Amino acid sequence: QVQLVESGGGSVQAGGSLRLSCVASGYTGSDYCMGWFRQAPGKEREGVAGIDTRGAPTYYADSVKDRFTISRDNAKNTLDLHMNSLSPEDTAMYYCAARFRGWRSCSRLSEADFGYWGQGTQVTVSS
C-alpha cells in the first residue's frame, strides 16, 4: 500500500521561501506520477505541480510557474517542492499525491486521478 508523508510546512513572510518534502513507501517510484496539490480555506483542492515518473517533464499551475520547483529522487522515494517568492495567496494545506502512470501522461493535475494522498502540511504566508 502506498503511503505518503509530507513535512516542511510552516509560517513565512511574503517574499520568503519554503521547501516541502514527501516521503513515499509501498510502491515502485518509477511507475508513479507524483504531484503537489493545495487547498485553501473555502476553496477546492487544486493541482500545483506534477512530475513524471523519472523526474521529467514537470508541470506547473500558472499561479506558481517560475516560483515553485518540483523534484523527485526515486532512489530515496522522496518528492520535494521548492517554493520561492511566496505570497499570502499561497497560504493553504499542501498535499503530496501519487498515481500509477500506466499509459496516461503525468501532465494532468486532476485531483480525481490521484489515488494516494498524504495527510497534508500547512503553509501560511503573512503579508
Side-chain angles (χ1 to χ4, degrees):
Q1 183 174 350
V2 178
Q3 293 186 323
L4 305 170
V5 179
E6 304 97 333
S7 63
S11 297
V12 65
Q13 289 193 327
S17 300
L18 279 175
R19 187 187 79 171
L20 305 183
S21 295
C22 173
V23 178
S25 60
Y27 80 153
T28 301
S30 58
D31 292 337
Y32 284 75
C33 301
M34 302 289 292
W36 286 97
F37 290 73
R38 67 185 181 187
Q39 187 167 22
K43 294 187 178 181
E44 294 186 353
R45 192 174 298 187
E46 63 171 345
V48 172
I51 189 166
D52 214 309
T53 56
R54 299 190 184 277
T58 55
Y59 311 94
Y60 298 94
D62 288 342
S63 59
V64 306
K65 202 170 293 183
D66 299 325
R67 298 190 299 122
F68 290 11
T69 302
I70 188 172
S71 61
R72 67 189 296 171
D73 184 335
N74 286 342
K76 298 180 180 178
N77 282 343
T78 58
L79 177 74
D80 287 344
L81 184 68
H82 292 259
M83 306 184 294
N84 297 318
S85 302
L86 286 163
S87 72
E89 289 70 34
D90 295 313
T91 294
M93 185 72 78
Y94 283 72
Y95 298 90
C96 171
R99 68 167 175 87
F100 185 71
R101 190 188 192 282
W103 56 267
R104 294 176 298 164
S105 165
C106 294
S107 62
R108 180 176 152 95
L109 288 174
S110 171
E111 179 184 3
D113 290 343
F114 284 75
Y116 303 100
W117 295 86
Q119 81 290 350
T121 186
Q122 179 67 38
V123 171
T124 302
V125 185
S126 58
S127 57

